[in-house]
Amino acid sequence: MACAFAPMNKPTSLSGPDAFTRELMRIDALIQSGDLRDAATALNTATQTQPRDPRAFLLGMRLAEAAGNPAGAIDMAQRAVALNPTWPVSVTEVAMLLSRLGKHAEAVAQVRRAAALAPRNPGVLQRAIEISHAAADHEAAISWIRQSLELAPRNVELRVWLSSKLIDAKQLDEASRVLDELLQDAPDNRDALHNRLLCARVAGDKERERQLADELLAADPAHETYQYWHAIAHGETPKTQPRGLVRGLFDEYAGRFDTHLAQLGYRVPETVSQMILNLHPDRRFNLLDLGCGTGLLGMFLGRIDGAIVGVDLSLEMIEKATEHGVYARFHNVNVLDALRDTPGDQYEVIASCDVLIYVGDLSEVIPNALRILKPGGHFVFTCEAAQEDEDNLVLRTSQRYAHKRSHVEALCKAAGFASLEVVDIPALRREGGEPLPGFIVVARKPD
């Protein structure tokens, strides 16, 4: 959708000179540059000039959100809608704001209103798709994509997106049909080939899965994600997950991450934070939080007499973690790269909560953690538990790795950790309604 402050988006029932529109756009630029004080002063003046122009209140929404005032942002957005309830731009802006704030059900309800006001507006439909996707409302997203395809039936991107949501909704026959038709029109489209592979995999069509994996890898042999799916299709266990796959997963997941984990009974960061504080009751330590996500570990730790440094591959997750105000800095990098590139003897504690389930092979992780720790420091991390009669490293159908406890213990001892405590956890969280067993490792570096 075009900028809400441009003349083309202005409600025809409202009047305002071009100079006013230019002033709104100038204020918007101030907000985007972080000059919030000047933006607020200018916006107050602008609102007094045109008190019934909803665009000014939409700017107030953006200003309040930038200032960290979500309640104020919602109030401004609702005022914009009240001034002109039939203007789809303001209703859509409210929906997008609610989505960013994690109020997904309310966001979907608002965007339904916007789409009812402008059922053939591609911009509104695009936002409806994005908001439904963020809410993991697959049925709603499918409906909006179909509506968009009525306006642009040959649009390749929309057809790929439809196939993705159909796979998410386990509507595999329909997804296969959409993809087969798309591949007839665009046989070299790798996104469509990739989705067709995923569809075959979920459906259990091993022969088709292998064929498509071979085709994808032949098209781009250096592509990490294609290498990963090729290995799985041929019965191999990849050593780790590709960066792009992990980043995409958690960029999409960031907005609903904390709420969803709470629903799954996930309390690992709280447990690990208490373990760390038991090791350092004076709260004097430096911590490297590997795979910090939305900063749940830092939130439970609170302020310490030292630095908490977060590492995460997802920038969307890091942006959420900054809201806790306890991290000294962040590194937007892969966990393996962070461990490899960090100098030795830096931290009293390294923690990794439910992250190594995506890293996989720990043969580099554990020795590098030992090297980075200061003498007497601790590496505290969690694993999903593989059975002792399974392989040392198992890739579950969830696309997460499970580790065998005895193998992890052997790796820690071989790396040179002086002592080791392993705590079995009957339920790291619920998976498909059932408890998912795991364990927490506290490994101590020699003095």
Side-chain angles (χ1 to χ4, degrees):
M1 183 180 295
C3 172
F5 312 112
M8 65 175 291
N9 278 322
K10 190 177 176 185
T12 56
S13 61
L14 297 173
S15 62
D18 288 344
F20 184 69
T21 296
R22 290 196 297 271
E23 176 63 3
L24 293 182
M25 296 177 76
R26 186 184 74 84
I27 296 169
D28 191 31
L30 288 173
I31 295 170
Q32 292 184 46
S33 66
D35 195 350
L36 304 186
R37 179 173 296 182
D38 285 351
T41 300
L43 184 58
N44 284 336
T45 301
T47 304
Q48 291 171 9
T49 304
Q50 296 287 341
R52 296 197 58 77
D53 193 319
R55 296 176 299 165
F57 289 93
L58 290 183
L59 270 181
M61 175 200 79
R62 295 189 184 181
L63 178 61
E65 188 178 12
N69 180 9
I74 292 173
D75 178 61
M76 289 291 104
Q78 289 173 339
R79 290 191 189 191
V81 172
L83 283 168
N84 191 342
T86 62
W87 188 33
V89 170
S90 57
V91 181
T92 304
E93 288 283 342
V94 171
M96 292 167 62
L97 171 66
L98 291 168
S99 181
R100 290 193 296 272
L101 295 176
K103 299 178 180 294
H104 296 295
E106 296 174 50
V108 171
Q110 285 294 328
V111 86
R112 286 186 189 280
R113 281 189 58 203
L117 291 168
R120 298 187 66 79
N121 183 309
V124 172
L125 293 175
Q126 175 75 13
R127 295 297 185 266
I129 296 167
E130 293 169 357
I131 288 167
S132 300
H133 176 70
D137 189 336
H138 305 314
E139 293 299 331
I142 289 168
S143 174
W144 299 128
I145 296 169
R146 291 191 189 282
Q147 199 164 328
S148 296
L149 280 168
E150 291 177 7
L151 304 177
R154 311 311 297 176
N155 185 292
V156 171
E157 183 180 358
L158 284 172
R159 293 158 77 187
V160 169
W161 207 349
L162 176 60
S163 70
S164 295
K165 301 314 295 181
L166 288 167
I167 293 170
D168 290 339
K170 299 296 188 292
Q171 297 180 30
L172 302 182
D173 289 343
E174 178 66 4
S176 297
R177 184 191 64 77
V178 169
L179 286 164
D180 289 342
E181 290 178 357
L182 176 53
L183 287 168
Q184 286 180 1
D185 295 341
D188 296 326
N189 186 288
R190 293 180 192 173
D191 290 335
L193 282 170
H194 180 250
N195 280 4
R196 190 65 183 87
L197 182 152
L198 296 181
C199 191
R201 175 170 173 74
V202 175
D205 187 346
K206 294 295 184 183
E207 183 177 352
R208 182 72 167 132
E209 180 187 355
R210 286 191 294 269
Q211 174 195 340
L212 290 161
D214 291 346
E215 195 173 337
L216 271 173
L217 192 62
D220 190 351
H223 198 292
E224 284 187 344
T225 300
Y226 299 165
Q227 293 171 354
Y228 174 80
W229 291 120
H230 186 269
I232 292 173
H234 288 270
E236 303 168 11
T237 300
K239 290 182 65 175
T240 189
Q241 286 203 1
R243 293 168 177 80
L245 196 64
V246 176
R247 183 187 296 111
L249 171 66
F250 285 101
D251 279 351
E252 292 181 1
Y253 195 17
R256 61 181 188 279
F257 184 79
D258 293 357
T259 302
H260 187 227
L261 288 183
Q263 293 170 348
L264 297 179
Y266 178 71
R267 300 189 64 182
V268 167
E270 184 178 4
T271 301
V272 169
S273 70
Q274 191 56 57
M275 288 178 151
I276 293 172
L277 292 176
N278 289 342
L279 295 170
H280 296 276
D282 58 0
R283 307 181 77 87
R284 298 181 63 184
F285 61 94
N286 296 306
L287 167 69
L288 181 63
D289 187 359
L290 289 174
C292 63
T294 58
L296 291 175
L297 180 61
M299 181 188 73
F300 284 111
L301 282 171
R303 296 281 182 179
I304 64 171
D305 186 6
I308 304 177
V309 178
V311 171
D312 206 279
L313 192 57
S314 167
L315 189 57
E316 297 289 334
M317 287 286 195
I318 287 175
E319 288 175 354
K320 292 289 184 181
T322 60
E323 297 173 5
H324 298 302
V326 296
Y327 286 82
R329 60 186 181 276
F330 296 93
H331 297 287
N332 182 210
V333 296
N334 177 267
V335 165
L336 292 172
D337 293 339
L339 285 167
R340 191 180 302 117
D341 296 340
T342 301
D345 301 326
Q346 294 290 308
Y347 295 93
E348 283 80 14
V349 182
I350 299 173
S352 188
C353 298
D354 266 22
V355 174
L356 303 182
I357 57 177
Y358 299 100
V359 172
D361 182 18
L362 303 183
S363 59
E364 289 186 29
V365 171
I366 290 173
N368 268 320
L370 179 80
R371 178 182 58 80
I372 294 168
L373 285 168
K374 291 181 177 181
H378 293 84
F379 183 24
V380 186
F381 61 94
T382 67
C383 294
E384 289 186 13
Q387 299 298 316
E388 285 299 312
D389 58 356
E390 293 184 286
D391 291 337
N392 292 332
L393 182 67
V394 181
L395 185 61
R396 302 294 192 203
T397 56
S398 63
Q399 299 308 309
R400 296 192 298 265
Y401 291 97
H403 295 84
K404 191 157 66 178
R405 171 176 169 164
S406 61
H407 179 63
V408 173
E409 291 175 341
L411 287 174
C412 290
K413 291 173 183 176
F417 279 99
S419 63
L420 201 66
E421 178 186 2
V422 182
V423 179
D424 290 318
I425 304 293
L428 290 170
R429 61 185 173 280
R430 290 189 298 277
E431 179 83 18
E434 298 296 324
L436 182 70
F439 53 89
I440 302 176
V441 177
V442 183
R444 180 178 173 275
K445 182 174 179 175
D447 293 329

